[in-house]
Amino acid sequence: SDRWVNSVAFSPDGRNIASGAEKGPIKIWDAESGNLILTLDINRYGIDSVAYSPDGRNIACTNGDHTIKVLDMENGGALLGSVDLTNRTIIGNTDYVDPKSVAYSPDGSKLA
């Protein structure tokens, strides 16, 4: 069971919804019908946060393995890249880093 959903995001065109669950994969849903379109099983830790890029081509996600992953939605959700934040510092934060949320900049060039 996926348990509860931690995060949802509309695609920029409003046609799809991505959801990330505590113990489950990322799921892509048809926003109008509610039908499941795609399941992306990318790790064993579950998903904390999902965000579509402004152009809708990618989804970024955070999860319990201290990474931010970027998935190529034009290629069935294939992994484009992953940033491991274990033992890293982020500007203004010198404490333990375990991202629980992710967002794209308006032009899609950066992740926060």
Side-chain angles (χ1 to χ4, degrees):
S1 160
D2 295 348
R3 305 252 343 219
W4 55 79
V5 172
N6 287 336
S7 180
V8 294
F10 271 101
S11 61
D13 64 9
R15 294 176 47 197
N16 297 327
I17 299 169
S19 66
E22 177 200 18
K23 300 276 185 190
I26 293 174
K27 293 184 178 181
I28 309 300
W29 307 87
D30 181 286
E32 188 171 325
S33 71
N35 292 331
L36 180 64
I37 298 170
L38 182 64
T39 299
L40 304 170
D41 230 347
I42 63 164
N43 70 36
R44 63 183 179 178
Y45 298 103
I47 303 298
D48 292 321
S49 179
V50 293
Y52 272 96
S53 61
D55 62 11
R57 293 180 179 170
N58 303 321
I59 289 179
C61 66
T62 62
N63 49 59
D65 67 356
H66 313 290
T67 64
I68 296 174
K69 292 180 172 57
V70 178
L71 308 173
D72 181 356
M73 297 314 296
E74 292 186 326
N75 192 18
L79 183 65
L80 283 175
S82 180
V83 177
D84 186 345
L85 298 173
T86 306
N87 299 320
R88 304 260 307 280
T89 58
I90 295 179
I91 297 169
N93 180 17
T94 57
D95 294 327
Y96 175 77
V97 176
D98 185 13
K100 298 296 183 193
S101 183
V102 65
Y104 276 92
S105 61
D107 68 0
S109 67
K110 297 176 185 73
L111 287 168

